[in-house]
Amino acid sequence: MPDSIDLRSALKRGIHSLREAHVASDTLAAELLLVHVTGRDRTWLYAHPEELLEPSVADNYFMLIGRRAAGEPTQHLTGHQEFWGLDFEVTPEVLIPRPETEHLLEVALDRLAVRELRSGRPPKLTGKNLSLIDIGTGSGCIAIALAKELPMAQICATDISADAIAVAQRNAERLGFADRVTFLESNLFSAFSSVSHRPPPFDLVISNPPYISRRESSSLPIEVRQHEPESALYGGEEGYELYGLLIPEAGRHMKPGGLLVLELGHDSLPAVQPLLETCDWVNILVTKDLAGIPRVLSAERS
Ligand SMILES: C[S@@+](CC[C@H](N)C(=O)[O-])C[C@H]1O[C@@H](n2cnc3c(N)ncnc32)[C@H](O)[C@@H]1O
């Protein structure tokens, strides 16, 4: 490694190493890592291509490029991922928030607004008198985005992983929503099993549960298979097992007319939709993502 290297050459070399290792989105990953080690934004980097990197910064950059080339996700190296316009801390203990999960929030907010309209209230949602719960909160991205959109809602978020709850709590504190979201370590709704802890029924239950089949694990990219938490990925041997527990439990903790909004895996719909085809649920809606995959299943508690 030369003693000094300019930004343009460092970036070129970083992209080349990632391309050789068949890393997806090689240019973006190399840029994000350069932004991370220099503390500058992307625009600044491109405006100052001749700027020399401090040798220690260059060493750090090429060390991270090496780790990315070996399969570590960029977000684990930078410690960040943007979701719903907010900057979330991510660690190997939580799922990296995915862009398709934003559809879950869009469906929830749209359907809550329609519910307000139907009951004669203005559709401008503040969340007043609404009680919401995010099951399997991970980084806290869904619960915290809901807190941002619905400033008066009561929001609760659970996860079976204590490590995930710690990350979610830190995100809520850093983003200024710690007083708006109550985080609980809980297996689905088990934290509410004793009568003394039973909350009033919820207006919205939202969840992006683990939904990948264990059988599919070997076909997952190395970034996912080796670096994201198993409890966030696998729903069971088939993948859709957790929905079978979550849907009836959600029904028991919801108000009549309350909304259930679930993210689906790419092939979950045929196994999950029949679970809602009971007299407990009405107005079942399937929403596709931008790739045309049925991504969100939502329904109203009858
Ligand atoms: C697919 S990740 C979703 C994380 C986050 N909500 C998101 O959308 O990025 C699923 C999360 O559910 C949690 N989880 C798995 N089984 C659970 C259970 N039985 N009860 C509560 N949480 C569970 C995992 O620890 C993980 O954080």
Side-chain angles (χ1 to χ4, degrees):
M1 189 70 46
D3 276 350
S4 55
I5 183 166
D6 64 33
L7 282 170
R8 180 195 287 123
S9 311
L11 184 60
K12 252 177 97 176
R13 191 180 304 171
I15 294 169
H16 178 74
S17 303
L18 297 184
R19 196 158 294 163
E20 293 251 287
H22 306 289
V23 168
S25 310
D26 43 34
T27 303
L28 180 64
E31 284 173 359
L32 286 172
L33 293 176
L34 200 52
V35 165
H36 175 67
V37 296
T38 57
R40 304 284 192 173
D41 64 24
R42 223 171 137 254
T43 315
W44 193 93
L45 297 182
Y46 280 101
H48 301 83
E50 321 291 343
E51 182 90 2
L52 291 180
L53 284 177
E54 293 280 329
S56 62
V57 174
D59 285 349
N60 191 19
Y61 179 60
F62 290 111
M63 183 266 292
L64 293 180
I65 287 285
R67 287 171 61 183
R68 180 69 195 91
E72 277 185 69
T74 308
Q75 295 88 338
H76 286 180
L77 302 172
T78 63
H80 295 270
Q81 172 63 38
E82 196 218 288
F83 180 84
W84 204 258
L86 298 167
D87 173 45
F88 284 88
E89 174 195 342
V90 289
T91 70
E93 282 77 39
V94 297
L95 190 88
I96 298 165
R98 306 295 206 267
E100 58 268 26
T101 299
E102 296 192 342
H103 289 301
L104 203 62
L105 282 153
E106 286 161 2
V107 171
L109 294 169
D110 281 357
R111 291 199 66 164
L112 283 173
V114 168
R115 231 176 58 128
E116 295 296 284
L117 260 183
R118 278 208 316 243
S119 43
R121 291 185 288 272
K124 172 90 190 79
L125 278 177
T126 60
K128 192 172 173 200
N129 300 324
L130 293 183
S131 172
L132 323 176
I133 186 162
D134 170 24
I135 300 287
T137 198
S139 62
C141 59
I142 296 173
I144 293 170
L146 284 171
K148 177 183 171 194
E149 295 304 320
L150 302 171
M152 296 178 80
Q154 303 265 350
I155 302 173
C156 190
T158 71
D159 204 289
I160 201 165
S161 153
D163 291 335
I165 289 290
V167 175
Q169 186 80 54
R170 282 205 297 279
N171 274 320
E173 277 157 21
R174 203 171 40 81
L175 293 166
F177 295 101
D179 58 340
R180 299 282 325 290
V181 187
T182 305
F183 292 100
L184 292 169
E185 184 185 337
S186 174
N187 181 352
L188 301 178
F189 290 85
S190 66
F192 308 125
S193 52
S194 88
V195 177
S196 56
H197 283 88
R198 194 157 296 155
F202 294 103
D203 296 277
L204 172 75
V205 175
I206 189 165
S207 184
N208 173 16
Y211 50 61
I212 300 173
S213 149
R214 287 239 169 231
R215 284 197 304 267
E216 272 181 68
S217 67
S218 59
S219 63
L220 297 175
I222 184 173
E223 288 83 351
V224 178
R225 183 167 27 99
Q226 286 191 0
H227 296 280
E228 296 204 81
E230 291 207 351
S231 66
L233 299 175
Y234 305 115
E237 204 52 37
E238 303 300 329
Y240 47 76
E241 287 87 336
L242 209 63
Y243 296 95
L245 301 171
L246 173 56
I247 290 173
E249 275 202 44
R252 284 195 285 280
H253 287 86
M254 287 167 70
K255 291 182 189 162
L259 281 172
L260 175 66
V261 183
L262 301 172
E263 181 164 324
L264 296 174
H266 68 98
D267 57 356
S268 316
L269 185 66
V272 181
Q273 188 162 1
L275 301 173
L276 290 174
E277 287 164 357
T278 69
C279 54
D280 288 342
W281 304 99
V282 291
N283 296 333
I284 299 166
L285 193 74
V286 178
T287 309
K288 293 186 174 169
D289 65 16
L290 296 176
I293 295 168
R295 186 57 71 187
V296 183
L297 184 61
S298 56
E300 248 171 62
R301 181 79 171 86
S302 54

